[in-house]
Amino acid sequence: MTQMQPFIARRKLFSEKMQNGVAIIPTAPERIRNRDAHYPYRFDSYFYYLTGFREPEAVLVIIAATGQEPAKHILFCREKNLEREIWDGYRFGPDAAKEVFGFDEAYPLAKLDELLPVLLSDQLAVYTALGQDPNWDQRVTGWLNRVRDLARTGVTAPREIYDYRTILDEMRLIKSTGELQIMQRAADISAQAHQRAMQAVRPGMREYEIEAELLHTFVRHGAQAPAYTSIVAGGANACILHYVQNDAELKSGDLLLIDAGCELSGYASDITRTFPVNGKFTPAQRDVYQLVLSAQAAAIAEVKPGSRWNDPHQAALQVLAQGFIDLGLCRGSVDEVLESEDYKRFYMHRTGHWLGMDVHDVGEYKQQGEWRELQPGMVLTVEPGCYIRPADNVSEHLWNIGIRIEDDVVVTPAGHELLTEAAPKTTVAIEELMQ
């Protein structure tokens, strides 16, 4: 039960923020890959954040406290079934789930349609995630209509519908010490994977061979899965932001961009490193790489309490714009390049995103029209880049250079800490490791 205390505490806090009503939070459904084979199962992040329960076919119901009754946390899950457990593995069942995960009540999932109208009766509000799954929306509507049908008996249905994600997004945005410890471990595993890739790569290999090195390291150190589809992009492929084919030959003289991170205990890591396939940067590659690294350093320096979300991005843009001018990619002053957005030919994405249970994690980036202030416990990526495709007005020696450098950064009371510092990123450190 001790390891379940963080989940119990989150349910308690969430129920207090609800103020009234009933929240109904399902986990993710299993998905068919082809015929009767499923994709590897991954729980819904909101559901897991409040329960710690990893089985499919489960629903959490939280009833807010009233003046007479305390809050109640109820789990609906699969029943024990020894025959199915022979085929598919252990199931907790309602009784064990109630005991192990600290719920007030637990019932078989088969009773959900029977009990939900009862639980919704005479409640002021229902908290659900409308629009996320049409089939789920239909079930919630059905339960509400069954309660409305009882109006002549004096029963009232919830009059208001709220999105529980509004509350949970803000809760998830600030990570606890325990969450940060998991994220640090995930980052350490991913850093080892990037080091292994740097040491393994040789001209003539295929991109998927390097992807295999990443996956080997993830699993060997206990990560459950990649946090997202790994990008292993050699040469011109590095100029495709979401390249995932990972099947081209790696050639001497080209760069290899790897954007890959593992998921550990429900939390993501996200690292990008770019390095030469043959272990030695060319002068042009080194110049562009140093520019991106300087832009990242300027951005990371802006990660601190009181900074606005957009400050790291703006700091990176200042450095990149000047660098693009120096390289002959853009013309004019820094202000002119920024105002005209000419830089977007070579840097077209933003400099980061929230990171947590989802690789692009939850949380608003603006509040009341203003970029939100960074607070201790927030975790974000910092990932400037430069992508130079062949063009008549671009020097040929710069063609097909694609570079991105990404780290995971936690905001601390004193400033920031890099979770992914173990992954080499200076040209000297990379070349030494690759030798």
mmCIF file of all heavy atoms in Angstrom, residues 201 275-281 430-432 434-435:
data_model
loop_
_atom_site.group_PDB
_atom_site.id
_atom_site.type_symbol
_atom_site.label_atom_id
_atom_site.label_comp_id
_atom_site.label_asym_id
_atom_site.label_seq_id
_atom_site.Cartn_x
_atom_site.Cartn_y
_atom_site.Cartn_z
ATOM 1 N N VAL A 201 27.713 2.909 -34.596
ATOM 2 C CA VAL A 201 27.491 3.285 -35.989
ATOM 3 C C VAL A 201 28.771 3.154 -36.820
ATOM 4 O O VAL A 201 29.874 3.459 -36.358
ATOM 5 C CB VAL A 201 26.925 4.721 -36.079
ATOM 6 C CG1 VAL A 201 27.977 5.758 -35.661
ATOM 7 C CG2 VAL A 201 26.411 5.008 -37.478
ATOM 8 N N PHE A 275 25.288 13.393 -34.911
ATOM 9 C CA PHE A 275 26.720 13.118 -34.919
ATOM 10 C C PHE A 275 27.129 12.546 -36.278
ATOM 11 O O PHE A 275 26.289 12.059 -37.046
ATOM 12 C CB PHE A 275 27.094 12.162 -33.782
ATOM 13 C CG PHE A 275 26.257 10.913 -33.723
ATOM 14 C CD1 PHE A 275 26.644 9.763 -34.390
ATOM 15 C CD2 PHE A 275 25.078 10.881 -32.983
ATOM 16 C CE1 PHE A 275 25.887 8.610 -34.334
ATOM 17 C CE2 PHE A 275 24.304 9.726 -32.919
ATOM 18 C CZ PHE A 275 24.711 8.592 -33.601
ATOM 19 N N PRO A 276 28.410 12.612 -36.614
ATOM 20 C CA PRO A 276 28.876 12.135 -37.924
ATOM 21 C C PRO A 276 28.945 10.614 -37.984
ATOM 22 O O PRO A 276 29.419 9.963 -37.049
ATOM 23 C CB PRO A 276 30.265 12.754 -38.057
ATOM 24 C CG PRO A 276 30.713 12.990 -36.647
ATOM 25 C CD PRO A 276 29.488 13.244 -35.830
ATOM 26 N N VAL A 277 28.492 10.060 -39.095
ATOM 27 C CA VAL A 277 28.488 8.615 -39.268
ATOM 28 C C VAL A 277 29.906 8.049 -39.168
ATOM 29 O O VAL A 277 30.114 6.968 -38.605
ATOM 30 C CB VAL A 277 27.840 8.251 -40.623
ATOM 31 C CG1 VAL A 277 28.032 6.763 -40.934
ATOM 32 C CG2 VAL A 277 26.357 8.601 -40.613
ATOM 33 N N ASN A 278 30.887 8.776 -39.693
ATOM 34 C CA ASN A 278 32.267 8.278 -39.672
ATOM 35 C C ASN A 278 33.052 8.740 -38.452
ATOM 36 O O ASN A 278 34.261 8.478 -38.353
ATOM 37 C CB ASN A 278 32.999 8.668 -40.956
ATOM 38 C CG ASN A 278 33.119 10.187 -41.125
ATOM 39 O OD1 ASN A 278 32.878 10.955 -40.189
ATOM 40 N ND2 ASN A 278 33.472 10.616 -42.333
ATOM 41 N N GLY A 279 32.380 9.445 -37.527
ATOM 42 C CA GLY A 279 33.042 9.830 -36.292
ATOM 43 C C GLY A 279 33.767 11.156 -36.321
ATOM 44 O O GLY A 279 34.357 11.556 -35.312
ATOM 45 N N LYS A 280 33.700 11.882 -37.439
ATOM 46 C CA LYS A 280 34.438 13.139 -37.540
ATOM 47 C C LYS A 280 33.589 14.180 -38.264
ATOM 48 O O LYS A 280 33.157 13.963 -39.398
ATOM 49 C CB LYS A 280 35.753 12.919 -38.318
ATOM 50 C CG LYS A 280 36.732 14.074 -38.210
ATOM 51 C CD LYS A 280 37.376 14.119 -36.835
ATOM 52 C CE LYS A 280 38.469 15.193 -36.777
ATOM 53 N NZ LYS A 280 39.052 15.301 -35.412
ATOM 54 N N PHE A 281 33.313 15.301 -37.590
ATOM 55 C CA PHE A 281 32.562 16.382 -38.210
ATOM 56 C C PHE A 281 33.394 17.035 -39.321
ATOM 57 O O PHE A 281 34.598 17.274 -39.157
ATOM 58 C CB PHE A 281 32.219 17.470 -37.184
ATOM 59 C CG PHE A 281 31.173 17.089 -36.181
ATOM 60 C CD1 PHE A 281 31.526 16.516 -34.958
ATOM 61 C CD2 PHE A 281 29.827 17.308 -36.444
ATOM 62 C CE1 PHE A 281 30.567 16.176 -34.021
ATOM 63 C CE2 PHE A 281 28.858 16.969 -35.514
ATOM 64 C CZ PHE A 281 29.219 16.402 -34.300
ATOM 65 N N ILE A 430 31.650 13.991 -28.437
ATOM 66 C CA ILE A 430 31.094 13.031 -29.393
ATOM 67 C C ILE A 430 32.209 12.330 -30.166
ATOM 68 O O ILE A 430 32.222 11.092 -30.282
ATOM 69 C CB ILE A 430 30.116 13.749 -30.356
ATOM 70 C CG1 ILE A 430 28.830 14.129 -29.615
ATOM 71 C CG2 ILE A 430 29.791 12.862 -31.546
ATOM 72 C CD1 ILE A 430 27.900 15.019 -30.421
ATOM 73 N N GLU A 431 33.158 13.105 -30.668
ATOM 74 C CA GLU A 431 34.242 12.490 -31.458
ATOM 75 C C GLU A 431 35.106 11.569 -30.608
ATOM 76 O O GLU A 431 35.528 10.504 -31.067
ATOM 77 C CB GLU A 431 35.070 13.585 -32.119
ATOM 78 C CG GLU A 431 34.345 14.299 -33.236
ATOM 79 C CD GLU A 431 35.173 15.392 -33.898
ATOM 80 O OE1 GLU A 431 36.178 15.839 -33.279
ATOM 81 O OE2 GLU A 431 34.828 15.791 -35.027
ATOM 82 N N GLU A 432 35.342 11.962 -29.350
ATOM 83 C CA GLU A 432 36.135 11.097 -28.476
ATOM 84 C C GLU A 432 35.410 9.788 -28.200
ATOM 85 O O GLU A 432 36.022 8.717 -28.228
ATOM 86 C CB GLU A 432 36.438 11.838 -27.165
ATOM 87 C CG GLU A 432 37.483 12.930 -27.280
ATOM 88 C CD GLU A 432 37.777 13.581 -25.948
ATOM 89 O OE1 GLU A 432 37.050 13.290 -24.967
ATOM 90 O OE2 GLU A 432 38.725 14.393 -25.876
ATOM 91 N N MET A 434 33.161 8.331 -30.067
ATOM 92 C CA MET A 434 33.044 7.535 -31.291
ATOM 93 C C MET A 434 34.379 6.898 -31.688
ATOM 94 O O MET A 434 34.388 5.888 -32.405
ATOM 95 C CB MET A 434 32.498 8.395 -32.426
ATOM 96 C CG MET A 434 31.059 8.860 -32.179
ATOM 97 S SD MET A 434 30.337 9.747 -33.582
ATOM 98 C CE MET A 434 30.087 8.401 -34.740
ATOM 99 N N GLN A 435 35.478 7.466 -31.248
ATOM 100 C CA GLN A 435 36.787 6.857 -31.537
ATOM 101 C C GLN A 435 37.041 5.648 -30.652
ATOM 102 O O GLN A 435 37.940 4.876 -30.903
ATOM 103 C CB GLN A 435 37.900 7.888 -31.343
ATOM 104 C CG GLN A 435 37.839 9.033 -32.332
ATOM 105 C CD GLN A 435 37.810 8.598 -33.791
ATOM 106 O OE1 GLN A 435 38.586 7.735 -34.188
ATOM 107 N NE2 GLN A 435 36.903 9.159 -34.559
#
